[in-house]
Amino acid sequence: MTILPLDPAANRTPGALRAFLVQCQAAAARAGRAQLVSISISVDALDPLAVLESIFEPAERHFYVERPAERTALAGAEAVLDFTAAGPDRFAACQRFIDETLAHTLAVGNLATPLAGPHFFAAFTFADFAEPGEPFEAASIFVPRWQVALHEGRTVAVANLMIDRSSAVDAMAERLWRAQAKFGSFAFAAPEFPQLPPARPVAVAEISLPGGYPASVRRALEEIGEGGLRKIVLARAKDLTAAAAFHPLRVLNGLRQRFADCYAFSVANGRGQSFIGASPERLLQVSDGRMATEALAGSARRGATASEDAAFAAALLGEEKELREHGQVLDSIVRGLTALGLEPVCPDRPGIRRFANVQHLHTPVRAVLPAGTRLLDVLARLHPTPAVGGVPRKRALARIRELEAVPRGLYAGAIGWIDAAGRGEFFVGLRSALIDGPRARLHAGAGIVAGSSPERELQETEMKFRVMEEALRA
């Protein structure tokens, strides 16, 4: 990426903007190919979700993620560039797309500002291949035309455009000028959410194989007893159907308010479907040559009182079955990172991570990245972790599809972003729903190991379903 020595804020006039684009067009002509032009400006404090609501179009791609507890939110809308891939090589293919794009990118603005510059928003399904009819490709990645980010009270707006020798520079300059003026004093248009009654009525239909979820768990336990598996995560699926279409951003606003410690997210495919949720699980974060991930496995419900809550946590920390499940996840993460030449560091014993409706065993894992090892290299090694897959990995992944009624799609997939410097963050697509008009498809899973009970795992998945069911009914 070429960073040009131009301060957009100090040269904020229509004439200066047009002259800059003319220079970029000349650079594209010299290179013999189109250039991605990225302009970052600091603006007054904005709510990125409110901005996304104001410009939301079902026929456009969008990406949104927020962690309210960390005062960070990131939104991108409309694809100026996109790419899709499938198969075991999909992470490497996306990295090649990023490298090729950045080799022909011209950027201006203070790129030292957190979340400035061009970002690549990506979503990887749980499986390497998407089945026919699935709404999301196995790997999809795009650069947004408009991007707004909030970090600890500071807001940066980014405009991205493709320019070549035939681009209509005057029209581009006019559109950008209007957008910059709008972000400078943003007037939030009221989103056209449908008027819905309280506790909207929805029809709920479970999608299952013969015998239902308990039968799938029993078949998995038989294989575990025979030694073919040590752990497998099995999910249930439900379809919720309402009288009116769900608006993904309306539901998302409720999720971010209720689950401040989670990743509130929405990913739209540009064809009318959105995948939304409030994920508790970080998959990978990379910044300044260091990476962080976590093992999050082993569950207990929250208590009605502080004493009951603490009692459930203490029982979880001492329960052999839950500790064994957690240990399998942690061991897999450590082995994968070690195979890449990393030296992972983590505590000797798990702690407790509490969320609004559930508490989990939690172990943070950190490491320094060797030279030449990048975020997507690590992500390809980690995804899917045994927290959503199983052990042995290859055998578990094959059996998951046979023991579940429908493909997972982005459920338990890897969703996140990468910036031009290789920094980024990905989370697991959990506590989620695929929104398609008036229908929402939900998944919820539980880890099956020796000692698991079909009835108990059914209760655990029902507890996890409750998050999205309540959000969709609100």
Side-chain angles (χ1 to χ4, degrees), residues 263-278:
Y263 295 91
F265 66 90
S266 177
V267 183
N269 63 7
R271 298 184 296 275
Q273 293 90 17
S274 297
F275 184 70
I276 69 169

mmCIF file with all atom_site columns, all heavy atoms in Angstrom, residues 263-278:
data_model
loop_
_atom_site.group_PDB
_atom_site.id
_atom_site.type_symbol
_atom_site.label_atom_id
_atom_site.label_alt_id
_atom_site.label_comp_id
_atom_site.label_asym_id
_atom_site.label_entity_id
_atom_site.label_seq_id
_atom_site.pdbx_PDB_ins_code
_atom_site.Cartn_x
_atom_site.Cartn_y
_atom_site.Cartn_z
_atom_site.occupancy
_atom_site.B_iso_or_equiv
_atom_site.pdbx_formal_charge
_atom_site.auth_seq_id
_atom_site.auth_comp_id
_atom_site.auth_asym_id
_atom_site.auth_atom_id
_atom_site.pdbx_PDB_model_num
ATOM 1   N N   . TYR A 1 263 ? -19.419 -10.076 21.285 1.00 0.00 ? 263 TYR A N   1
ATOM 2   C CA  . TYR A 1 263 ? -19.315 -9.458  19.965 1.00 0.00 ? 263 TYR A CA  1
ATOM 3   C C   . TYR A 1 263 ? -20.723 -9.400  19.372 1.00 0.00 ? 263 TYR A C   1
ATOM 4   O O   . TYR A 1 263 ? -21.252 -10.418 18.913 1.00 0.00 ? 263 TYR A O   1
ATOM 5   C CB  . TYR A 1 263 ? -18.430 -10.289 19.036 1.00 0.00 ? 263 TYR A CB  1
ATOM 6   C CG  . TYR A 1 263 ? -16.982 -10.393 19.429 1.00 0.00 ? 263 TYR A CG  1
ATOM 7   C CD1 . TYR A 1 263 ? -16.539 -11.430 20.252 1.00 0.00 ? 263 TYR A CD1 1
ATOM 8   C CD2 . TYR A 1 263 ? -16.043 -9.485  18.955 1.00 0.00 ? 263 TYR A CD2 1
ATOM 9   C CE1 . TYR A 1 263 ? -15.200 -11.551 20.590 1.00 0.00 ? 263 TYR A CE1 1
ATOM 10  C CE2 . TYR A 1 263 ? -14.700 -9.602  19.306 1.00 0.00 ? 263 TYR A CE2 1
ATOM 11  C CZ  . TYR A 1 263 ? -14.287 -10.631 20.120 1.00 0.00 ? 263 TYR A CZ  1
ATOM 12  O OH  . TYR A 1 263 ? -12.958 -10.753 20.448 1.00 0.00 ? 263 TYR A OH  1
ATOM 13  N N   . ALA A 1 264 ? -21.337 -8.221  19.381 1.00 0.00 ? 264 ALA A N   1
ATOM 14  C CA  . ALA A 1 264 ? -22.601 -8.041  18.674 1.00 0.00 ? 264 ALA A CA  1
ATOM 15  C C   . ALA A 1 264 ? -22.264 -7.840  17.200 1.00 0.00 ? 264 ALA A C   1
ATOM 16  O O   . ALA A 1 264 ? -21.461 -6.968  16.858 1.00 0.00 ? 264 ALA A O   1
ATOM 17  C CB  . ALA A 1 264 ? -23.353 -6.836  19.219 1.00 0.00 ? 264 ALA A CB  1
ATOM 18  N N   . PHE A 1 265 ? -22.880 -8.628  16.316 1.00 0.00 ? 265 PHE A N   1
ATOM 19  C CA  . PHE A 1 265 ? -22.428 -8.590  14.926 1.00 0.00 ? 265 PHE A CA  1
ATOM 20  C C   . PHE A 1 265 ? -23.575 -8.780  13.938 1.00 0.00 ? 265 PHE A C   1
ATOM 21  O O   . PHE A 1 265 ? -24.621 -9.340  14.267 1.00 0.00 ? 265 PHE A O   1
ATOM 22  C CB  . PHE A 1 265 ? -21.369 -9.669  14.676 1.00 0.00 ? 265 PHE A CB  1
ATOM 23  C CG  . PHE A 1 265 ? -21.888 -11.086 14.781 1.00 0.00 ? 265 PHE A CG  1
ATOM 24  C CD1 . PHE A 1 265 ? -22.405 -11.747 13.674 1.00 0.00 ? 265 PHE A CD1 1
ATOM 25  C CD2 . PHE A 1 265 ? -21.845 -11.772 15.990 1.00 0.00 ? 265 PHE A CD2 1
ATOM 26  C CE1 . PHE A 1 265 ? -22.890 -13.046 13.768 1.00 0.00 ? 265 PHE A CE1 1
ATOM 27  C CE2 . PHE A 1 265 ? -22.317 -13.080 16.097 1.00 0.00 ? 265 PHE A CE2 1
ATOM 28  C CZ  . PHE A 1 265 ? -22.837 -13.717 14.971 1.00 0.00 ? 265 PHE A CZ  1
ATOM 29  N N   . SER A 1 266 ? -23.338 -8.297  12.719 1.00 0.00 ? 266 SER A N   1
ATOM 30  C CA  . SER A 1 266 ? -24.238 -8.537  11.592 1.00 0.00 ? 266 SER A CA  1
ATOM 31  C C   . SER A 1 266 ? -23.408 -8.592  10.324 1.00 0.00 ? 266 SER A C   1
ATOM 32  O O   . SER A 1 266 ? -22.563 -7.722  10.088 1.00 0.00 ? 266 SER A O   1
ATOM 33  C CB  . SER A 1 266 ? -25.291 -7.427  11.479 1.00 0.00 ? 266 SER A CB  1
ATOM 34  O OG  . SER A 1 266 ? -26.119 -7.629  10.334 1.00 0.00 ? 266 SER A OG  1
ATOM 35  N N   . VAL A 1 267 ? -23.630 -9.634  9.525  1.00 0.00 ? 267 VAL A N   1
ATOM 36  C CA  . VAL A 1 267 ? -22.965 -9.788  8.232  1.00 0.00 ? 267 VAL A CA  1
ATOM 37  C C   . VAL A 1 267 ? -24.049 -10.010 7.191  1.00 0.00 ? 267 VAL A C   1
ATOM 38  O O   . VAL A 1 267 ? -24.856 -10.936 7.328  1.00 0.00 ? 267 VAL A O   1
ATOM 39  C CB  . VAL A 1 267 ? -21.997 -10.991 8.231  1.00 0.00 ? 267 VAL A CB  1
ATOM 40  C CG1 . VAL A 1 267 ? -21.260 -11.079 6.901  1.00 0.00 ? 267 VAL A CG1 1
ATOM 41  C CG2 . VAL A 1 267 ? -21.011 -10.897 9.386  1.00 0.00 ? 267 VAL A CG2 1
ATOM 42  N N   . ALA A 1 268 ? -24.097 -9.172  6.158  1.00 0.00 ? 268 ALA A N   1
ATOM 43  C CA  . ALA A 1 268 ? -25.103 -9.287  5.109  1.00 0.00 ? 268 ALA A CA  1
ATOM 44  C C   . ALA A 1 268 ? -24.445 -9.710  3.808  1.00 0.00 ? 268 ALA A C   1
ATOM 45  O O   . ALA A 1 268 ? -23.346 -9.259  3.469  1.00 0.00 ? 268 ALA A O   1
ATOM 46  C CB  . ALA A 1 268 ? -25.837 -7.959  4.918  1.00 0.00 ? 268 ALA A CB  1
ATOM 47  N N   . ASN A 1 269 ? -25.134 -10.574 3.047  1.00 0.00 ? 269 ASN A N   1
ATOM 48  C CA  . ASN A 1 269 ? -24.561 -11.092 1.805  1.00 0.00 ? 269 ASN A CA  1
ATOM 49  C C   . ASN A 1 269 ? -24.904 -10.261 0.581  1.00 0.00 ? 269 ASN A C   1
ATOM 50  O O   . ASN A 1 269 ? -24.465 -10.583 -0.529 1.00 0.00 ? 269 ASN A O   1
ATOM 51  C CB  . ASN A 1 269 ? -24.985 -12.553 1.592  1.00 0.00 ? 269 ASN A CB  1
ATOM 52  C CG  . ASN A 1 269 ? -26.497 -12.712 1.427  1.00 0.00 ? 269 ASN A CG  1
ATOM 53  O OD1 . ASN A 1 269 ? -27.239 -11.734 1.333  1.00 0.00 ? 269 ASN A OD1 1
ATOM 54  N ND2 . ASN A 1 269 ? -26.949 -13.957 1.384  1.00 0.00 ? 269 ASN A ND2 1
ATOM 55  N N   . GLY A 1 270 ? -25.712 -9.194  0.734  1.00 0.00 ? 270 GLY A N   1
ATOM 56  C CA  . GLY A 1 270 ? -26.079 -8.366  -0.407 1.00 0.00 ? 270 GLY A CA  1
ATOM 57  C C   . GLY A 1 270 ? -27.203 -8.946  -1.240 1.00 0.00 ? 270 GLY A C   1
ATOM 58  O O   . GLY A 1 270 ? -27.560 -8.395  -2.284 1.00 0.00 ? 270 GLY A O   1
ATOM 59  N N   . ARG A 1 271 ? -27.791 -10.039 -0.781 1.00 0.00 ? 271 ARG A N   1
ATOM 60  C CA  . ARG A 1 271 ? -28.918 -10.664 -1.489 1.00 0.00 ? 271 ARG A CA  1
ATOM 61  C C   . ARG A 1 271 ? -30.138 -10.794 -0.578 1.00 0.00 ? 271 ARG A C   1
ATOM 62  O O   . ARG A 1 271 ? -31.048 -11.573 -0.861 1.00 0.00 ? 271 ARG A O   1
ATOM 63  C CB  . ARG A 1 271 ? -28.498 -12.045 -2.021 1.00 0.00 ? 271 ARG A CB  1
ATOM 64  C CG  . ARG A 1 271 ? -27.354 -11.981 -3.019 1.00 0.00 ? 271 ARG A CG  1
ATOM 65  C CD  . ARG A 1 271 ? -27.016 -13.353 -3.607 1.00 0.00 ? 271 ARG A CD  1
ATOM 66  N NE  . ARG A 1 271 ? -26.533 -14.274 -2.589 1.00 0.00 ? 271 ARG A NE  1
ATOM 67  C CZ  . ARG A 1 271 ? -25.259 -14.352 -2.187 1.00 0.00 ? 271 ARG A CZ  1
ATOM 68  N NH1 . ARG A 1 271 ? -24.349 -13.532 -2.706 1.00 0.00 ? 271 ARG A NH1 1
ATOM 69  N NH2 . ARG A 1 271 ? -24.886 -15.233 -1.265 1.00 0.00 ? 271 ARG A NH2 1
ATOM 70  N N   . GLY A 1 272 ? -30.126 -10.053 0.526  1.00 0.00 ? 272 GLY A N   1
ATOM 71  C CA  . GLY A 1 272 ? -31.292 -10.022 1.398  1.00 0.00 ? 272 GLY A CA  1
ATOM 72  C C   . GLY A 1 272 ? -31.160 -10.781 2.697  1.00 0.00 ? 272 GLY A C   1
ATOM 73  O O   . GLY A 1 272 ? -31.993 -10.609 3.593  1.00 0.00 ? 272 GLY A O   1
ATOM 74  N N   . GLN A 1 273 ? -30.138 -11.640 2.836  1.00 0.00 ? 273 GLN A N   1
ATOM 75  C CA  . GLN A 1 273 ? -29.976 -12.400 4.076  1.00 0.00 ? 273 GLN A CA  1
ATOM 76  C C   . GLN A 1 273 ? -28.882 -11.786 4.945  1.00 0.00 ? 273 GLN A C   1
ATOM 77  O O   . GLN A 1 273 ? -27.876 -11.289 4.426  1.00 0.00 ? 273 GLN A O   1
ATOM 78  C CB  . GLN A 1 273 ? -29.621 -13.867 3.792  1.00 0.00 ? 273 GLN A CB  1
ATOM 79  C CG  . GLN A 1 273 ? -30.727 -14.662 3.136  1.00 0.00 ? 273 GLN A CG  1
ATOM 80  C CD  . GLN A 1 273 ? -30.668 -14.618 1.628  1.00 0.00 ? 273 GLN A CD  1
ATOM 81  O OE1 . GLN A 1 273 ? -29.649 -14.270 1.055  1.00 0.00 ? 273 GLN A OE1 1
ATOM 82  N NE2 . GLN A 1 273 ? -31.767 -14.965 0.993  1.00 0.00 ? 273 GLN A NE2 1
ATOM 83  N N   . SER A 1 274 ? -29.086 -11.848 6.253  1.00 0.00 ? 274 SER A N   1
ATOM 84  C CA  . SER A 1 274 ? -28.103 -11.363 7.223  1.00 0.00 ? 274 SER A CA  1
ATOM 85  C C   . SER A 1 274 ? -27.880 -12.424 8.295  1.00 0.00 ? 274 SER A C   1
ATOM 86  O O   . SER A 1 274 ? -28.821 -13.119 8.694  1.00 0.00 ? 274 SER A O   1
ATOM 87  C CB  . SER A 1 274 ? -28.573 -10.067 7.891  1.00 0.00 ? 274 SER A CB  1
ATOM 88  O OG  . SER A 1 274 ? -28.707 -9.023  6.960  1.00 0.00 ? 274 SER A OG  1
ATOM 89  N N   . PHE A 1 275 ? -26.653 -12.514 8.757  1.00 0.00 ? 275 PHE A N   1
ATOM 90  C CA  . PHE A 1 275 ? -26.306 -13.411 9.853  1.00 0.00 ? 275 PHE A CA  1
ATOM 91  C C   . PHE A 1 275 ? -25.929 -12.534 11.031 1.00 0.00 ? 275 PHE A C   1
ATOM 92  O O   . PHE A 1 275 ? -24.982 -11.749 10.951 1.00 0.00 ? 275 PHE A O   1
ATOM 93  C CB  . PHE A 1 275 ? -25.139 -14.309 9.444  1.00 0.00 ? 275 PHE A CB  1
ATOM 94  C CG  . PHE A 1 275 ? -24.769 -15.347 10.467 1.00 0.00 ? 275 PHE A CG  1
ATOM 95  C CD1 . PHE A 1 275 ? -25.608 -16.414 10.734 1.00 0.00 ? 275 PHE A CD1 1
ATOM 96  C CD2 . PHE A 1 275 ? -23.566 -15.268 11.157 1.00 0.00 ? 275 PHE A CD2 1
ATOM 97  C CE1 . PHE A 1 275 ? -25.261 -17.386 11.664 1.00 0.00 ? 275 PHE A CE1 1
ATOM 98  C CE2 . PHE A 1 275 ? -23.209 -16.230 12.092 1.00 0.00 ? 275 PHE A CE2 1
ATOM 99  C CZ  . PHE A 1 275 ? -24.064 -17.287 12.345 1.00 0.00 ? 275 PHE A CZ  1
ATOM 100 N N   . ILE A 1 276 ? -26.689 -12.627 12.124 1.00 0.00 ? 276 ILE A N   1
ATOM 101 C CA  . ILE A 1 276 ? -26.495 -11.734 13.259 1.00 0.00 ? 276 ILE A CA  1
ATOM 102 C C   . ILE A 1 276 ? -26.341 -12.535 14.538 1.00 0.00 ? 276 ILE A C   1
ATOM 103 O O   . ILE A 1 276 ? -26.684 -13.719 14.600 1.00 0.00 ? 276 ILE A O   1
ATOM 104 C CB  . ILE A 1 276 ? -27.679 -10.759 13.409 1.00 0.00 ? 276 ILE A CB  1
ATOM 105 C CG1 . ILE A 1 276 ? -28.941 -11.512 13.848 1.00 0.00 ? 276 ILE A CG1 1
ATOM 106 C CG2 . ILE A 1 276 ? -27.934 -10.000 12.119 1.00 0.00 ? 276 ILE A CG2 1
ATOM 107 C CD1 . ILE A 1 276 ? -30.069 -10.591 14.268 1.00 0.00 ? 276 ILE A CD1 1
ATOM 108 N N   . GLY A 1 277 ? -25.821 -11.888 15.571 1.00 0.00 ? 277 GLY A N   1
ATOM 109 C CA  . GLY A 1 277 ? -25.709 -12.578 16.843 1.00 0.00 ? 277 GLY A CA  1
ATOM 110 C C   . GLY A 1 277 ? -24.950 -11.787 17.885 1.00 0.00 ? 277 GLY A C   1
ATOM 111 O O   . GLY A 1 277 ? -24.600 -10.613 17.678 1.00 0.00 ? 277 GLY A O   1
ATOM 112 N N   . ALA A 1 278 ? -24.698 -12.436 19.013 1.00 0.00 ? 278 ALA A N   1
ATOM 113 C CA  . ALA A 1 278 ? -23.910 -11.874 20.112 1.00 0.00 ? 278 ALA A CA  1
ATOM 114 C C   . ALA A 1 278 ? -22.978 -12.975 20.588 1.00 0.00 ? 278 ALA A C   1
ATOM 115 O O   . ALA A 1 278 ? -23.309 -13.757 21.476 1.00 0.00 ? 278 ALA A O   1
ATOM 116 C CB  . ALA A 1 278 ? -24.807 -11.396 21.243 1.00 0.00 ? 278 ALA A CB  1
#
